[in-house]
Amino acid sequence: KVTVTSVNLFNQSLPALVIFVFQNERFPAPASLKAMLRRLHPKEFDASENQLLLLHTAGKAGVRPARVLLVGLGKATDFNSE
């Protein structure tokens, strides 16, 4: 089931939240998630194409989903819908 919504997904109690990320581009996220991301080494996640990183949020402030899955899309200039 797919649901389209216009609410802040970080405030929703979900089993997981999937975020698609381009290399060298920032995305809106709560401060607690940004703090987790700053502690990552670039080898752990740099948003290169097809790279995945599953974060267990463990009740971090401002992040209600139990897990956040980051999906790397590579460079925005190299991206196409196919």
Side-chain angles (χ1 to χ4, degrees), residues 2-76:
V2 175
T3 303
V4 177
T5 183
S6 63
V7 299
N8 183 342
L9 293 174
F10 291 104
N11 292 332
Q12 304 300 309
S13 181
L14 303 167
L17 176 61
V18 179
I19 301 174
F20 296 90
V21 184
F22 287 112
Q23 279 182 313
N24 302 317
E25 292 199 10
R26 296 179 183 196
F27 59 93
S32 57
L33 181 59
K34 286 182 180 181
M36 290 174 70
L37 296 173
R38 278 193 298 273
R39 289 191 293 264
L40 293 175
H41 189 277
K43 288 184 180 179
E44 291 178 277
F45 188 78
D46 67 357
S48 58
E49 189 175 359
N50 298 322
Q51 187 178 27
L52 301 173
L53 178 68
L54 182 63
L55 298 169
H56 294 267
T57 57
K60 296 282 184 194
V63 184
R64 290 196 59 205
R67 290 169 294 285
V68 174
L69 177 63
L70 300 177
V71 179
L73 297 175
K75 295 178 182 176

